[in-house]
């Protein structure tokens, strides 16, 4: 009889690459996997790449519902779906999915595996609000006592969680992509109308508070010669939109909507530099080891990245790029200009990034993940 796994997350499956890799690995291991996720009723998620998996969507309008009501409705609906499923394992991806899965497991049995992708109570929008933080800490404190196994994305998160909750012994399973060969092309140049000799800087991912995208757009005023392409959307979109209108920046910055993760690699391979501008706003961001740096490496991109401890560990080993020393436009522009000053430097960083991609890929990480379900 197949092992059944009920996997729940609160992100859009169009761009949800981590759970996709986990689910595919479990299926290859012989498990029967059901995936449940949030979906905006006004958007049609691209689910073609999820073919062969059982998918259920919780349709809620995040933009029209107050935050408390949105999370309450999501967790109530997820609880009843989990209660009905009766799996051998619940894979709860982040804290909003954990509490409903734990409640269902207490009533119907099954083991809960907690994928703590970030320190949820230390996210900027949470730790700045004492009320929000208290509520999420209460739910987290109750839930983790009933978790059988847990994983995090980096050593810093593992240490912080283990120190906070003695009952947890998290395993690090990094957020690494499936290996894809480097395939240079002109996709972004053609989509954005960028000339062939103009370097393309790319930022991909959610536009989050403290993510530095607004500052990145402003920094383009002082970047000597390059075109910035943003791929993504999020809460900071209004500020980014305003920054684009100022100083005629739209001529040097293109903005594309989020793309399915199956299409992302091809777009990144058509850029010249990848950038990550996140600030250390709270422990969760300070510990960040974002999946985008591994996506950039897979596309052979030299990088300008924030100087955060987990990123320093990886860059210290592979030397894939330069550091942004402070989260403001001048420092971002300085790092990008230093990176773009020499084609020889770019070629060297590209070689190092591709070497990193050969090592840091999901195929070398999945065994550690699959052991949780034995």
């Amino acid at each position: 009889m197949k092992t059944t796994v009920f996997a729940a997350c609160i992100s859009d499956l169009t761009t949800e690459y981590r759970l996709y890799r986990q689910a595919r690995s479990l299926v290859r291991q012989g498990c029967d996997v059901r995936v449940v996720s949030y979906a905006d009723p006004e958007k049609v998620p691209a689910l073609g790449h999820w073919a062969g998996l059982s998918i259920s969507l919780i349709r809620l309008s995040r933009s029209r519902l107050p935050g408390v009501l949105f999370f309450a409705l999501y967790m109530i609906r997820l609880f009843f779906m989990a209660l009905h499923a009766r799996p051998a394992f619940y894979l709860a991806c982040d804290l909003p999915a954990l509490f409903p899965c734990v409640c269902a497991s207490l009533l119907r049995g099954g083991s809960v595996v907690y994928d703590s992708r970030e320190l949820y109570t230390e996210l900027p929008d949470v730790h700045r609000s004492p009320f929000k933080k208290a509520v999420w800490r209460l739910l987290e404190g109750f839930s983790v006592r009933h978790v059988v196994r847990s994983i995090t994305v980096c050593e810093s998160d593992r240490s912080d969680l283990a120190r906070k909750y003695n009952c947890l012994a998290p395993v690090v399973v990094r957020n690494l992509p499936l290996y894809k060969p480097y395939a240079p092309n002109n996709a972004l140049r053609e989509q954005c109308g960028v000339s062939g000799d103009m370097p393309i800087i790319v930022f991909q991912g959610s536009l989050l508070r403290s993510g530095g995208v607004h500052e990145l757009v402003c920094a383009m005023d002082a970047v000597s010669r390059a075109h910035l392409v943003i791929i993504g959307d999020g809460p900071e979109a209004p500020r980014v939109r305003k920054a684009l209108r100022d100083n005629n920046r739209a001529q040097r910055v293109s903005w594309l909507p989020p793309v399915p993760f199956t299409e992302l690699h091809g777009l990144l391979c058509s850029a010249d530099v990848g950038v990550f501008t996140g600030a250390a706003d709270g422990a969760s961001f300070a510990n960040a080891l974002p999946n985008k740096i591994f996506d950039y490496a897979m596309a052979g991109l030299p990088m300008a990245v924030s100087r955060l401890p987990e990123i320093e560990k990886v860059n210290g080993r592979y030397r894939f790029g330069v550091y942004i020393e402070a989260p403001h436009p001048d420092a971002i522009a300085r790092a990008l200009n230093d990176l773009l000053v020499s084609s020889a430097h770019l070629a060297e960083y590209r070689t190092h990034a591709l070497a990193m991609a050969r090592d840091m890929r999901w195929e070398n990480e999945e065994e550690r993940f699959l052991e949780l379900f034995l």
Side-chain angles (χ1 to χ4, degrees):
M1 186 175 178
K2 287 186 175 182
T3 300
T4 53
V5 180
F6 180 92
C9 70
I10 197 168
S11 50
D12 186 344
L13 292 185
T14 300
T15 54
E16 177 48 65
Y17 196 15
R18 180 172 172 88
L19 181 54
Y20 173 83
R21 297 190 302 270
Q22 293 171 336
R24 289 296 184 196
S25 294
L26 288 167
V27 168
R28 285 195 300 272
Q29 190 79 352
C31 297
D32 184 3
V33 181
R34 180 184 178 189
V35 174
V36 179
S37 180
Y38 150 80
D40 189 324
E42 298 177 2
K43 299 178 182 178
V44 179
L47 299 179
H49 41 282
W50 293 84
L53 290 166
S54 173
I55 305 292
S56 299
L57 300 177
I58 298 174
R59 293 191 176 274
L60 294 169
S61 179
R62 200 163 192 167
S63 60
R64 296 184 181 182
L65 292 171
V68 173
L69 183 57
F70 169 81
F71 283 109
L73 289 174
Y74 168 81
M75 288 193 285
I76 290 169
R77 291 176 64 177
L78 179 59
F79 164 71
F80 283 108
M81 295 169 81
L83 198 66
H84 178 72
R86 295 193 178 192
F89 289 96
Y90 301 86
L91 173 58
C93 302
D94 267 333
L95 187 51
L98 178 62
F99 180 66
C101 288
V102 163
C103 291
S105 74
L106 291 174
L107 291 173
R108 293 287 176 87
S111 300
V112 178
V113 177
Y114 180 28
D115 183 1
S116 178
R117 302 173 174 191
E118 53 213 348
L119 300 178
Y120 200 87
T121 60
E122 298 299 328
L123 290 172
D125 285 344
V126 176
H127 82 78
R128 288 175 178 166
S129 167
F131 174 74
K132 285 183 183 179
K133 185 168 183 175
V135 171
W136 285 116
R137 281 293 299 270
L138 184 66
L139 294 176
E140 184 179 56
F142 167 80
S143 300
V144 295
R145 295 199 302 270
H146 305 285
V147 166
V148 174
R149 297 174 186 124
S150 58
I151 58 177
T152 66
V153 298
C154 65
E155 179 60 31
S156 295
D157 279 3
R158 187 206 66 77
S159 297
D160 283 357
L161 273 177
R163 184 166 52 249
K164 189 187 298 185
Y165 300 112
N166 293 332
C167 56
L168 289 182
V171 174
V172 175
V173 177
R174 293 166 297 181
N175 202 357
L176 307 183
L178 291 162
Y179 183 76
K180 293 182 179 179
Y182 171 52
N185 62 80
N186 293 316
L188 286 178
R189 295 189 185 280
E190 293 171 359
Q191 285 193 43
C192 303
V194 181
S195 63
D197 61 343
M198 177 71 71
I200 292 179
I201 301 165
V202 66
F203 173 94
Q204 73 86 12
S206 297
L207 311 188
L208 300 174
R209 189 175 184 179
S210 302
V213 186
H214 174 268
E215 290 77 9
L216 173 60
V217 171
C218 295
M220 291 304 294
D221 294 344
V223 175
S224 56
R225 187 173 178 275
H227 189 91
L228 171 65
V229 178
I230 299 168
I231 305 173
D233 202 354
E236 281 292 278
R239 288 188 72 219
V240 172
R241 196 171 291 113
K242 182 180 183 304
L244 284 175
R245 290 195 297 266
D246 296 340
N247 290 352
N248 207 24
R249 293 184 182 118
Q251 292 188 354
R252 300 193 62 196
V253 182
S254 299
W255 187 359
L256 304 178
V259 298
F261 57 77
T262 49
E263 301 174 15
L264 181 62
H265 180 69
L267 290 179
L268 295 181
C269 283
S270 66
D272 298 288
V273 168
V275 63
F276 168 69
T277 49
D281 184 0
S284 189
F285 273 31
N287 290 354
L289 184 60
N291 61 296
K292 60 173 59 65
I293 71 167
F294 303 112
D295 293 329
Y296 292 157
M298 198 70 71
L301 295 182
M303 296 175 231
V305 293
S306 301
R307 188 186 283 275
L308 300 176
E310 289 291 336
I311 295 176
E312 281 194 272
K313 292 177 188 177
V314 181
N315 195 27
R317 178 179 177 185
Y318 290 100
R319 296 185 296 119
F320 55 68
V322 301
Y323 291 114
I324 298 167
E325 298 292 353
H328 56 72
D330 289 346
I332 296 170
R334 192 177 309 117
L336 290 171
N337 285 327
D338 288 347
L339 193 58
L340 292 166
V341 71
S342 164
S343 58
H345 284 164
L346 286 177
E348 182 180 1
Y349 286 134
R350 186 181 301 279
T351 299
H352 294 168
L354 290 172
M356 169 181 161
R358 287 190 291 272
D359 291 343
M360 306 192 82
R361 50 178 169 162
W362 179 249
E363 291 86 346
N364 295 336
E365 200 81 356
E366 69 173 342
E367 183 177 350
R368 202 177 310 163
F369 170 73
L370 291 173
E371 287 174 351
L372 302 169
F373 298 87
L374 296 178

